[in-house]
Amino acid sequence: MNKEKKVKQPKEKSVQQLNRSRRLRHGTMATVLSVCFVAAVVLVNVIVSILVDRYPISVDLTSNKVFELSQESIDYVENIDKDIDVYILATKEDFSGNNNYYKQADTVINKYAQYSDKIHVSYVDIYSDVDFAAKYPDVKLTYGQILLECGERHQTLSAYDLFDVDEQYGSIKSSTTEQAMTSAIMNLTDSNPINVAVLTGFGSNNRTDASNLESILTSNGYIVSEVNFLSEDIPDDANAVVLCSPTSDLTSELADKLALWLENDGNFGHTMLYFADGSQPSLPNLESILSEWGIGVESGFLAETDQSHVYGNYTYLIGQYEDNDYVDSSDKPILLPNAKALKALFENETNRYTHVLLKSYDSATIVPEDADENYSLTDGKTDSYPLAILGQRLTYQGTTALNSYLAAFGSMDMTNSAFTSMSAVDNGEYIVNLLNKLTGKSAGVTIVGKEIGTETLGISSQQAMVIGGFFQYGLPIIVVIIGVTVWVRRRNK
């Protein structure tokens, strides 16, 4: 009789054992997922920190983009091929912690390194690093300055370069950090900088101040110096000269000297910018030079009879662009306040050419110098008058064209900071672009100062309280409720 083998049956697990096993699996999985999640968060934070330090991936929500570089600066620094070291001579905490303007300056300076791997920004505490200043014996370095170095060339920027400071009250009006930084970088990387001499010594009035024009040119990579033409010669390395609305005439000797400088022994290659003013008297010797270049000056000053062609005042004329090969017209107008009317004396004579660059509308009129208080704008003839004329001299050496230029503008006030900083007009950009073209300089960058103010959200105080209450109380309560719900559901599985 075969004995039946007894098969041992597995013992059924108790409900407690099953629950314990299930909880262990879920707990282990939850722990692993939590560790992976924390590790992922840490890794993402590290990667994002590296990217933020290296690349411009932050978002500037201010209305005038005070923490961002202009596209002109970005385009320039992205194409530089020389290494530039930027030393902020302070600790980061000291430099950026002073006020909002210094925080903005610190952010803007570091933006340059994000847009170009050729630019390196570092902080040097010259109080503790005493050996650093010894490397620059020709420069007096102070705490808080910016030192830029490119090869053997270097340049320093002070707070007065980084900010537009009200000299009367000592307060900061706007930030010019980008303007100063881009200018310094252009100066250091330009192997053939253009030298501009501003001629002085011929009287002054409230419209002959060339300081803003000098600042704009310097900010766009030009090396600018003032020359008292009554006692000094134009420097040998000058590529261009500027004469701003003189109130007294050149002597015949100085007029001849200026004319010879423009001809440059027949080699040409020189440029002159002349800015007239509606209040100027007749200047025969200077005007004789202009006439040689096909430019005449009318007596009196221009006024506009059509209010749609002025900016506020009947002598603040809006100019029209003329098609030419020197400056492309912009969608923004050029404003020429208190202008003289110019005239083109010829279009071309032998190797001499004139080009009208800007002109008034045909509703403009010339107000005579001797006009009294009873004079009416309707008394004069209305016409379109040139406001800017370019005289050109051309010759050839073989097949190489050699040019000298004399550009005359009817308005000196067009260079005033009140107008070059206006976003609605293109005054500063136009002058820089023209000079770039005439001197063969690579494109410059015109950047205006940026005011840093408090941006509002445009909501009421009641709405602000509701939003604040939600984030302070509502959102945490919602998170707690969701957490408890998830915990209870997992506990009961």
Side-chain angles (χ1 to χ4, degrees):
M1 184 175 178
N2 295 332
K3 293 182 178 179
E4 294 182 358
K5 293 183 178 180
K6 292 183 178 181
V7 179
K8 191 175 182 179
Q9 297 295 327
K11 294 181 178 179
E12 293 184 4
K13 292 184 177 181
S14 66
V15 175
Q16 274 188 331
Q17 288 175 319
L18 288 173
N19 288 338
R20 189 180 302 114
S21 176
R22 188 178 294 114
R23 285 199 300 271
L24 180 61
R25 289 198 305 271
H26 283 298
T28 303
M29 182 62 68
T31 302
V32 172
L33 290 176
S34 298
V35 171
C36 291
F37 178 76
V38 171
V41 170
V42 172
L43 181 61
V44 169
N45 279 333
V46 171
I47 294 174
V48 169
S49 297
I50 295 173
L51 291 176
V52 168
D53 289 338
R54 180 62 188 88
Y55 299 103
I57 59 177
S58 59
V59 179
D60 186 351
L61 298 179
T62 58
S63 61
N64 55 346
K65 303 298 180 184
V66 298
F67 296 101
E68 186 55 82
L69 300 184
S70 66
Q71 192 59 48
E72 291 85 354
S73 289
I74 294 172
D75 292 341
Y76 188 86
V77 300
E78 284 182 339
N79 292 305
I80 62 175
D81 56 3
K82 298 178 181 179
D83 288 312
I84 297 177
D85 291 308
V86 181
Y87 300 105
I88 300 176
L89 305 184
T91 65
K92 182 175 179 61
E93 293 74 18
D94 285 351
F95 185 79
S96 62
N98 285 341
N99 55 42
N100 288 337
Y101 277 103
Y102 275 93
K103 290 178 182 177
Q104 183 264 355
D106 183 66
T107 302
V108 168
I109 292 170
N110 280 279
K111 285 286 184 180
Y112 285 87
Q114 294 179 347
Y115 283 106
S116 173
D117 58 6
K118 294 291 185 180
I119 300 176
H120 317 282
V121 179
S122 58
Y123 298 83
V124 178
D125 184 353
I126 57 174
Y127 288 155
S128 58
D129 189 352
V130 294
D131 295 330
F132 182 85
K135 301 175 186 177
Y136 307 93
D138 59 326
V139 182
K140 183 179 180 181
L141 300 179
T142 59
Y143 199 77
Q145 276 185 324
I146 312 298
L147 173 68
L148 296 94
E149 184 175 43
C150 179
E152 297 181 354
R153 302 171 64 184
H154 53 262
Q155 182 174 338
T156 59
L157 302 175
S158 68
Y160 285 93
D161 298 308
L162 301 179
F163 310 111
D164 181 12
V165 180
D166 188 320
E167 295 183 2
Q168 182 178 359
Y169 300 102
S171 58
I172 296 175
K173 296 189 291 185
S174 63
S175 172
T176 55
T177 301
E178 182 188 353
Q179 188 180 42
M181 283 290 296
T182 301
S183 170
I185 292 170
M186 294 174 70
N187 289 339
L188 293 173
T189 57
D190 192 347
S191 56
N192 295 298
I194 303 297
N195 292 274
V196 178
V198 178
L199 305 183
T200 64
F202 303 101
S204 63
N205 57 29
N206 60 343
R207 298 196 184 106
T208 56
D209 182 12
S211 59
N212 185 61
L213 178 60
E214 293 177 22
S215 176
I216 291 175
L217 296 181
T218 300
S219 297
N220 284 273
Y222 288 91
I223 298 177
V224 181
S225 61
E226 288 192 359
V227 174
N228 188 328
F229 200 35
L230 291 174
S231 58
E232 301 174 276
D233 290 331
I234 298 173
D236 293 336
D237 60 354
N239 307 101
V241 298
V242 178
L243 182 59
C244 296
S245 58
T247 57
S248 60
D249 200 6
L250 280 67
T251 65
S252 56
E253 180 184 354
L254 291 178
D256 291 341
K257 186 181 292 187
L258 184 56
L260 291 173
W261 180 84
L262 283 166
E263 291 183 7
N264 194 22
D265 295 326
N267 296 313
F268 295 153
H270 285 169
T271 298
M272 175 176 172
L273 298 186
Y274 168 63
F275 295 88
D277 181 77
S279 64
Q280 282 178 279
S282 176
L283 306 169
N285 291 331
L286 174 58
E287 291 168 11
S288 69
I289 298 177
L290 298 177
S291 65
E292 289 294 313
W293 291 79
I295 303 170
V297 181
E298 302 278 9
S299 62
F301 63 91
L302 276 173
E304 178 60 67
T305 61
D306 187 337
Q307 289 298 305
S308 64
H309 299 148
V310 300
Y311 177 77
N313 190 301
Y314 68 94
T315 61
Y316 283 29
L317 281 71
I318 295 175
Q320 297 185 86
Y321 294 95
E322 282 284 85
D323 291 335
N324 59 78
D325 298 326
Y326 297 95
V327 178
D328 294 331
S329 59
S330 167
D331 56 352
K332 296 180 182 180
I334 305 297
L335 184 61
L336 299 102
N338 307 308
K340 279 275 191 187
L342 306 177
K343 56 184 175 182
L345 302 180
F346 54 79
E347 288 189 9
N348 65 80
E349 286 187 359
T350 316
N351 68 334
R352 303 167 188 251
Y353 306 86
T354 59
H355 314 272
V356 175
L357 304 178
L358 299 168
K359 65 180 181 180
S360 71
Y361 287 86
D362 58 11
S363 49
T365 185
I366 297 177
V367 178
E369 290 181 357
D370 58 355
D372 57 25
E373 57 185 13
N374 296 319
Y375 184 84
S376 173
L377 296 183
T378 58
D379 295 340
K381 172 189 174 184
T382 58
D383 202 350
S384 176
Y385 297 93
L387 294 169
I389 300 177
L390 176 67
Q392 175 190 13
R393 296 279 300 274
L394 170 66
T395 190
Y396 286 89
Q397 283 186 355
T399 57
T400 303
L402 303 176
N403 290 283
S404 272
Y405 299 98
L406 196 163
F409 292 87
S411 168
M412 176 61 200
D413 267 349
M414 70 178 295
T415 70
N416 189 293
S417 61
F419 306 118
T420 59
S421 62
M422 284 178 60
S423 59
V425 300
D426 245 357
N427 285 22
E429 291 87 343
Y430 188 89
I431 295 169
V432 170
N433 290 337
L434 177 62
L435 190 58
N436 287 341
K437 180 72 174 181
L438 301 184
T439 59
K441 188 181 186 303
S442 59
V445 181
T446 304
I447 308 158
V448 299
K450 295 179 179 179
E451 293 184 1
I452 301 177
T454 303
E455 299 293 333
T456 60
L457 292 174
I459 59 177
S460 66
S461 58
Q462 184 177 3
Q463 290 173 320
M465 290 178 63
V466 171
I467 294 173
F470 172 76
F471 283 101
Q472 187 174 0
Y473 303 108
L475 187 59
I477 291 173
I478 292 172
V479 172
V480 170
I481 292 173
I482 293 173
V484 171
T485 302
V486 171
W487 179 80
V488 170
R489 290 185 62 183
R490 286 184 176 180
R491 181 73 178 78
N492 294 328
K493 281 185 178 180

